[in-house]
Amino acid sequence: MKRLLKIVLMVSFLVELVACSPKQPLIGVWQSDEGSRILEITENEIITQEILLGLSVGRYPYELKENNTILLYILGGTYLIPFTIENDKLTISVLSSTTTFTRVPNATTVNWNVDKENNNSNAPFNSGSYLSKTEVDRIANNEFSQFISDYLSNYGEHVVAYLPEYLDCIESSNQYTYTFVFFGQWSPRADADARGVDFTVTTLPNKEYKLEIEEPYSAWIGLTNANDREMNIRDYPDTTGEIKGSVDVRETIKIYGMNWSAHEMGSPYIWYSLNDEGSRWVADGIDASKDYYYFGNGCSTKDMIFDFRWVFDSGV
């Protein structure tokens, strides 16, 4: 009997010890008072499923310090973060962002929302791991490669050139919208128009995702002069064209199309059109020893993938 009583007292002591743990008030799921955004705090990590408190999606190790401060580990650095807790209200500051949260009493049943054009879908906050940004990048690039392969059969238009890596990515909550660029043409002539297409990847629990592909659209594409001198602007896509101006070093220009007729005749140049009328062109030394232009994501124009074989297909 005494032994049983001793065990009961020991268990009670351990329960009280855990309940009185300095971290205990922090642990749980918290919902932002500014909306439905969720923050989860475990014994060792602060977890964000969306951009919150100036943090990207991810898991951030932390230590509890004196005077209501958290030592947070971010990208190899450490930051002291002040916080207060009062009546199930948590106020926490990270970097330049301060947010007040309310404790969610039943963390396992809390849902977080994804709203895409008023089409809401819900998933439990603690229902599995999510894809990282690197994994989503890989998915988007692979899906774009498949899009290019299927483009002719789906749209009846040939892809002449495309940039295999995404040009831009906008991150919002658990959604990533990627912009890809390519050049397409309806008929077999030696020019093509600039095109854009947006891919939206929504990450879901258990490493799953949803993909949405918008209809391709006509677009202009920004290129920056990466040469060490000005580049001539000509009125015709050939070095025989009249000079109509120049592009300064590191100047960014808008291009609307491309022409490769001179390249077919042995010229080292591909030409890009600076307007819809086809009256202003700049030369890109595709066969030159150095890069002439860069895209906004830092890729060289030499990173474009060209496929001119279809030009010689009769009747296509």
Side-chain angles (χ1 to χ4, degrees):
M1 185 66 181
K2 290 184 178 179
R3 183 179 181 184
L4 178 60
L5 181 60
K6 184 177 181 181
I7 293 174
V8 171
L9 291 174
M10 183 177 296
V11 170
S12 300
F13 172 76
L14 290 175
V15 170
E16 291 179 8
L17 185 63
V18 171
C20 295
S21 167
K23 288 186 177 181
Q24 193 63 31
L26 276 171
I27 294 174
V29 174
W30 303 83
Q31 183 168 334
S32 167
D33 289 356
E34 299 175 357
S36 60
R37 297 184 301 170
I38 297 293
L39 183 76
E40 182 179 8
I41 302 179
T42 70
E43 185 73 27
N44 301 304
E45 292 179 316
I46 292 179
I47 305 170
T48 61
Q49 297 282 358
E50 48 197 323
I51 297 177
L52 187 59
L53 295 167
L55 299 171
S56 301
V57 176
R59 310 172 76 97
Y60 299 89
Y62 78 96
E63 296 178 22
L64 188 61
K65 297 297 183 181
E66 296 178 352
N67 301 321
N68 281 2
T69 57
I70 294 171
L71 183 65
L72 193 64
Y73 294 84
I74 305 176
L75 300 177
T78 56
Y79 299 85
L80 277 175
I81 309 301
F83 72 91
T84 58
I85 296 179
E86 185 176 357
N87 297 327
D88 282 333
K89 290 286 187 179
L90 168 65
T91 301
I92 186 170
S93 301
V94 175
L95 303 180
S96 59
S97 178
T98 299
T99 304
T100 300
F101 299 85
T102 299
R103 184 188 296 277
V104 178
N106 190 353
T108 60
T109 61
V110 173
N111 287 340
W112 54 278
N113 295 324
V114 178
D115 191 330
K116 178 65 175 177
E117 297 177 351
N118 298 321
N119 180 21
N120 292 328
S121 62
N122 297 318
F125 182 80
N126 286 326
S127 59
S129 58
Y130 286 72
L131 294 165
S132 67
K133 174 63 163 53
T134 301
E135 291 172 319
V136 179
D137 289 348
R138 188 181 306 114
I139 288 170
N141 287 328
N142 289 342
E143 292 285 356
F144 177 63
S145 296
Q146 186 62 48
F147 170 86
I148 292 296
S149 298
D150 298 339
Y151 189 75
L152 177 60
S153 60
N154 290 338
Y155 294 92
E157 184 180 49
H158 293 277
V159 174
V160 179
Y162 66 95
L163 187 66
E165 300 292 327
Y166 65 87
L167 185 66
D168 190 24
C169 175
I170 299 176
E171 182 178 346
S172 176
S173 185
N174 64 318
Q175 290 184 339
Y176 304 81
T177 299
Y178 297 84
T179 297
F180 293 91
V181 300
F182 62 99
F183 292 85
Q185 185 53 267
W186 298 105
S187 59
R189 62 180 191 236
D191 57 22
D193 298 324
R195 299 278 189 265
V197 62
D198 293 335
F199 284 52
T200 297
V201 180
T202 302
T203 58
L204 301 173
N206 302 318
K207 296 283 187 177
E208 295 183 0
Y209 66 93
K210 180 176 67 174
L211 174 69
E212 296 178 58
I213 304 175
E214 304 293 336
E215 286 294 308
Y217 49 87
S218 297
W220 57 264
I221 300 171
L223 288 184
T224 300
N225 179 9
N227 204 0
D228 54 6
R229 60 181 176 82
E230 295 180 344
M231 305 296 290
N232 289 327
I233 299 174
R234 298 182 182 270
D235 67 348
Y236 184 78
D238 194 277
T239 52
T240 60
E242 182 180 351
I243 295 176
K244 292 294 185 179
S246 62
V247 180
D248 290 337
V249 178
R250 291 185 295 278
E251 180 182 354
T252 298
I253 53 178
K254 297 179 180 180
I255 62 167
Y256 295 84
M258 64 178 297
N259 181 290
W260 60 91
S261 56
H263 189 263
E264 287 181 341
M265 302 302 293
S267 167
Y269 302 118
I270 297 289
W271 291 81
Y272 291 113
S273 173
L274 273 64
N275 57 22
D276 287 326
E277 295 76 27
S279 60
R280 292 169 65 84
W281 299 83
V282 291
D284 180 22
I286 192 65
D287 292 334
S289 60
K290 59 182 179 180
D291 297 315
Y292 284 15
Y293 300 98
Y294 282 101
F295 293 96
N297 63 355
C299 290
S300 163
T301 49
K302 291 184 180 182
D303 295 322
M304 295 288 287
I305 295 179
F306 296 89
D307 184 1
F308 302 142
R309 290 172 298 175
W310 65 268
V311 176
F312 305 102
D313 294 342
S314 60
V316 178

